[in-house]
């Protein structure tokens, strides 16, 4: 999932009497990983990370996003400065590494093929044993030509993962509600190229608020994920929806589709009943 706090989950995933301080612990009853977007926007303290660390079981994984000060200020700082900031971030996470999952390094659409050496240099700074994944948004990295191939070769050589953004669902209709207007304005409309460059491919799925419209995409992903798992890969999937209210249900449906294809797969997600779930089947 892309978050563990959501007010609409109170009284459903979370008990009515629970406070924000216990939400992560309750979230971990249903999911074994979470995308930590706050690390992209602000510096996290060791104290904050330690509090999170102590609320989840040993098999839970935090997938942090590398600070935007590393990835979004190419014209304002030297590569040496960016590398230093990334190195400091690695050092901070190293104290919690046994619960750190795949870490995501997201570049804006302004970072293109001419900046590949910059991306490569940052990848070389990565010092944790846990995997790094890279998300790019420049259209040239999706052209199925030399620019994309060079990017994929670089990741493959370094045994790193490409973040695969699937925003197709939210762009499959006109923006007829507030959450779709916001999602279409903020989420990148990039081609979905489900290519694994290492053993832990990363998928960020942005679901449509009209739940049945996600069915075709979830079916495709179930088949792809099972193929990866049969190859020995361990994919990470972070499920969003345009307002994230229904994201847990989309995650559960995806897992069920995988279970149908791979009976030996151990299902984990068992959500409390919610009326909207009926419309998914």
């Amino acid at each position: 999932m892309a978050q563990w706090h959501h007010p609409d989950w109170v009284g459903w995933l979370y008990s009515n009497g629970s406070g924000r301080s216990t939400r992560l612990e309750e979230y971990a009853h249903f999911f074994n990983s979470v995308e930590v977007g706050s690390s992209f926007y602000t510096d996290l303290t060791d104290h904050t990370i330690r509090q999170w660390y102590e609320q989840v079981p040993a098999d839970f994984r935090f997938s942090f996003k590398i600070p935007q000060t590393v990835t979004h200020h190419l014209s304002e700082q030297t590569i040496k400065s960016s590398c230093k900031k990334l190195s400091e971030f690695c050092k901070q996470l190293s104290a919690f590494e046994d619960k750190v999952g795949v870490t995501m390094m997201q570049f804006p659409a302004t970072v293109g093929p001419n900046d590949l050496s910059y991306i490569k240099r940052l990848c070389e700074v990565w010092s944790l044993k846990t995997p790094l994944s890279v998300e790019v948004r420049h259209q040239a990295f999706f052209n199925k030509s030399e620019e994309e191939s060079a990017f994929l070769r670089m990741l493959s050589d370094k045994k790193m993962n490409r973040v695969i953004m699937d925003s197709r669902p939210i762009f499959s209709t006109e923006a007829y509600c507030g959450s779709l207007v916001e999602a279409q304005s903020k989420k990148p409309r990039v081609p979905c190229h489900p290519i694994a460059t290492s053993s832990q491919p990363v998928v960020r799925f942005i679901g449509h608020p009209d739940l049945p419209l996600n069915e075709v995409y979830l079916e495709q992903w179930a088949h792809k994920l099972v193929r990866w798992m049969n190859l020995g890969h361990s994919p990470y999937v972070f499920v969003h929806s345009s307002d994230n209210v229904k994201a847990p249900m989309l995650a559960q449906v995806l897992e069920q589709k995988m279970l149908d294809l791979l009976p030996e797969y151990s299902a984990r997600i068992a959500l409390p009943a919610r009326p909207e779930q009926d419309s998914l089947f």
Side-chain angles (χ1 to χ4, degrees):
M1 298 287 293
Q3 63 183 101
W4 67 79
H5 284 299
H6 201 296
D8 279 20
W9 297 349
V10 177
W12 173 40
L13 295 186
Y14 308 139
S15 58
N16 284 313
S18 67
R20 288 179 65 90
S21 62
T22 63
R23 299 278 166 78
L24 176 58
E25 183 178 354
E26 292 185 272
Y27 171 95
H29 292 162
F30 305 106
F31 304 100
N32 62 1
S33 66
V34 68
E35 177 184 315
V36 184
S38 55
S39 57
F40 177 78
Y41 297 101
T42 188
D43 292 336
L44 299 176
T45 65
D46 292 351
H47 176 71
T48 294
I49 300 176
R50 174 62 63 184
Q51 284 186 315
W52 296 344
Y53 179 97
E54 293 176 349
Q55 290 183 58
V56 297
D59 65 345
F60 192 92
R61 297 293 180 266
F62 293 98
S63 289
F64 293 89
K65 293 181 75 173
I66 286 173
Q68 62 180 334
T69 53
V70 173
T71 56
H72 283 56
H73 301 282
L74 275 67
S75 62
E76 302 168 21
Q77 61 191 10
T78 64
I79 181 63
K80 183 177 180 179
S81 175
S82 296
C83 289
K84 182 175 184 293
K85 291 176 181 177
L86 179 55
S87 180
E88 290 169 349
F89 187 66
C90 288
K91 183 178 180 181
Q92 181 183 38
L93 293 188
S94 66
F96 312 96
E97 191 166 9
D98 59 314
K99 291 183 183 178
V100 174
V102 62
T103 302
M104 290 174 279
M105 185 159 60
Q106 175 189 304
F107 291 93
T110 53
V111 176
N114 291 337
D115 302 301
L116 186 58
S117 61
Y118 181 93
I119 299 173
K120 180 180 178 181
R121 181 69 189 96
L122 288 172
C123 288
E124 291 169 349
V125 171
W126 187 249
S127 59
L128 300 185
K129 295 179 181 178
T130 52
L132 177 67
S133 62
V134 180
E135 180 180 341
V136 289
R137 298 184 173 187
H138 193 289
Q139 289 294 327
F141 285 126
F142 299 86
N143 63 9
K144 295 185 178 181
S145 189
E146 178 54 29
E147 289 85 357
E148 182 175 17
S149 295
F151 172 61
L152 296 177
R153 283 196 303 271
M154 185 274 290
L155 292 178
S156 181
D157 289 345
K158 298 189 175 306
K159 295 181 171 55
M160 293 180 175
N161 309 279
R162 179 178 193 167
V163 176
I164 303 158
M165 169 68 74
D166 189 357
S167 59
R168 294 175 299 168
I170 59 169
F171 290 105
S172 64
T173 68
E174 295 295 324
Y176 57 79
C177 63
S179 70
L180 269 179
V181 170
E182 183 175 10
Q184 289 186 6
S185 68
K186 292 185 176 180
K187 300 299 182 184
R189 189 171 191 171
V190 294
C192 180
H193 291 179
I195 300 170
T197 56
S198 190
S199 60
Q200 293 173 304
V202 180
V203 178
R204 299 182 70 208
F205 180 87
I206 318 296
H208 196 284
D210 186 351
L211 297 180
L213 294 181
N214 298 285
E215 282 284 318
V216 62
Y217 307 109
L218 293 174
E219 188 73 26
Q220 291 171 356
W221 276 116
H223 282 271
K224 174 60 74 173
L225 292 168
V226 166
R227 284 198 292 272
W228 280 339
M229 292 170 69
N230 285 334
L231 291 171
H233 294 342
S234 300
Y236 278 74
V237 182
F238 299 104
V239 179
H240 309 233
S241 63
S242 61
D243 57 9
N244 277 333
V245 174
K246 301 171 184 176
M249 288 179 277
L250 293 174
Q252 185 178 45
V253 172
L254 174 58
E255 185 180 65
Q256 183 57 55
K257 289 180 179 297
M258 293 173 63
L259 188 61
D260 292 342
L261 297 169
L262 193 68
E264 62 269 30
Y265 174 75
S266 297
R268 175 187 173 92
I269 305 172
L271 303 179
R274 187 178 173 103
E276 294 96 321
Q277 285 173 276
D278 295 339
S279 64
L280 280 170
F281 301 95

